[in-house]
Amino acid sequence: MDQPATLLYFDDEHDAALRLCTAAGLAPARVERHRFPDGELKLRLPDTLQGRVVLLRTLDQPNEKLVELLLTARTARALGAQHLTLVAPYLAYMRQDMAFTLGEAVSQRIIGRFLAELFDAVITVDPHLHRVATLQEAVPVPQAIVLSGAPLLADLIAVRRPGALLVGPDGESAQWIAQAAARHGFDHAVCTKVRHGDRAVTIELPAMAVAGRAVVLLDDMASTGHTMAHAARLLLAAGAASVEAAVTHALFANDAITVMREAGIGEIWSTDCIAHPTNAVTVAGLIAEALQPAGREAGQNA
Ligand code: R5P
């Protein structure tokens, strides 16, 4: 019988790694990590790697993790891995997809190419692709697979808030709102947002009656929480009976949860792409399917 493929993971993603191993039939193998007093890292991988190897590393707080990816991928190849897949449920640096002012680094392109040099395949969930149509344009690997947490969140909302009005806080959320609404026939609409700074946005509500409605805001991510908070305040002022929030990526920087709660948001739900107390659904099954040969072909270069 064939050996199961190996799933490399780091200690801080132990729980997510075991969920994925169970769902996908992978053999877990922890990457040992030591930080020297001067901040440099030493990693140690199992010395028996061969065939297909999958590395799980979600890329919130990404800067140090990018060094881990470099060290891990190069070492895995040297030890005998023949095919390397990166499973990054959250893929960082995708929002900076152009130089908004002269001299700015186009992080999406630079990080995308960095990953493509290390891996044969990349699997991610709801990457923030705005001005590029496919993940492969941003991360030019042979196999670039995009999954979505929106249907999972839609199923949860259908149970917790049946008959909810789904609202996207900005134009970019329209894709996830459309997917979720199609699945359960939710009424839905999308706001218009202008960003003025890291924590400053202005939002206009869509022309749709919200009075008396249970509203769920749905987006790919919340970072400072100000987008969700601003939208929630407007919705409640317009008479919404309640406002809840659902996101694929629980970035929730600093006091984001407080900011959202103070704006009147009740429940906050997220997928486990990033581990957080708000996690309400798991993407393990979804990723496991994508790791199967049929899934890899179906999702190739999405
Ligand atoms: C950007 O368009 C994203 O979809 C989110 O709306 C954005 O990143 C949220 O950021 P914040 O929570 O900091 O307002």
Side-chain angles (χ1 to χ4, degrees):
M1 209 167 108
D2 284 351
Q3 289 274 97
T6 303
L7 180 86
L8 293 173
Y9 70 95
F10 286 73
D11 239 357
D12 61 316
E13 291 187 77
H14 175 265
D15 294 353
L18 290 197
R19 284 194 291 275
L20 183 53
C21 283
T22 305
L26 300 170
R30 187 168 65 91
V31 178
E32 289 172 32
R33 182 184 191 273
H34 174 74
R35 182 201 288 279
F36 292 106
D38 56 16
E40 291 182 13
L41 296 174
K42 179 176 75 174
L43 304 181
R44 181 161 182 267
L45 281 62
D47 58 14
T48 52
L49 292 178
Q50 54 176 343
R52 281 188 175 273
V53 173
V54 178
L55 169 62
L56 173 67
R57 204 67 180 127
T58 203
L59 293 175
D60 61 314
Q61 301 295 325
N63 298 342
E64 194 163 281
K65 289 180 180 174
L66 292 173
V67 176
E68 291 171 355
L69 294 189
L70 173 65
L71 299 176
T72 306
R74 296 269 187 244
T75 308
R77 299 253 192 228
L79 289 167
Q82 280 140 7
H83 186 279
L84 261 183
T85 298
L86 170 66
V87 173
Y90 175 64
L91 191 54
Y93 284 112
M94 291 296 111
R95 280 171 287 179
Q96 183 78 22
D97 59 2
M98 60 178 276
F100 295 89
T101 57
L102 207 59
E104 275 180 2
V106 183
S107 313
Q108 183 193 76
R109 194 178 310 145
I110 296 166
I111 299 296
R113 286 181 188 164
F114 169 76
L115 297 178
E117 277 169 21
L118 297 177
F119 297 95
D120 303 297
V122 170
I123 298 176
T124 190
V125 184
D126 292 335
H128 195 92
L129 302 178
H130 184 200
R131 275 162 283 258
V132 302
T134 66
L135 178 62
Q136 212 188 23
E137 286 172 58
V139 186
V141 272
Q143 285 176 309
I145 299 180
V146 171
L147 307 171
S148 180
L152 297 172
L153 291 168
D155 292 351
L156 180 85
I157 294 164
V159 173
R160 304 278 183 94
R161 291 293 180 277
L165 167 63
L166 283 194
V167 173
D170 55 27
E172 293 160 32
S173 62
Q175 52 186 306
W176 298 294
I177 292 286
Q179 273 189 63
R183 197 162 164 101
H184 291 285
F186 293 118
D187 292 341
H188 58 284
V190 170
C191 302
T192 314
K193 176 174 92 178
V194 179
R195 182 170 286 284
H196 305 284
D198 285 349
R199 292 176 176 76
V201 292
T202 47
I203 288 179
E204 243 179 67
L205 288 185
M208 178 176 238
V210 300
R213 300 293 306 263
V215 176
V216 178
L217 286 163
L218 175 73
D219 205 356
D220 59 336
M221 67 180 81
S223 175
T224 66
H226 283 275
T227 297
M228 288 288 194
H230 198 91
R233 276 199 191 91
L234 293 175
L235 288 160
L236 291 166
S242 59
V243 178
E244 261 72 51
V247 292
T248 301
H249 302 299
L251 289 171
F252 298 135
N254 307 317
D255 60 349
I257 293 287
T258 309
V259 167
M260 290 168 68
R261 295 256 184 249
E262 283 176 354
I265 295 176
E267 301 287 332
I268 302 175
W269 300 302
S270 62
T271 76
D272 63 352
C273 284
I274 298 170
H276 190 269
T278 58
N279 290 172
V281 292
T282 180
V283 294
L286 206 62
I287 295 172
E289 263 176 51
L291 285 166
Q292 304 310 315
R296 289 199 295 269
E297 274 154 37
Q300 193 163 344
N301 307 334

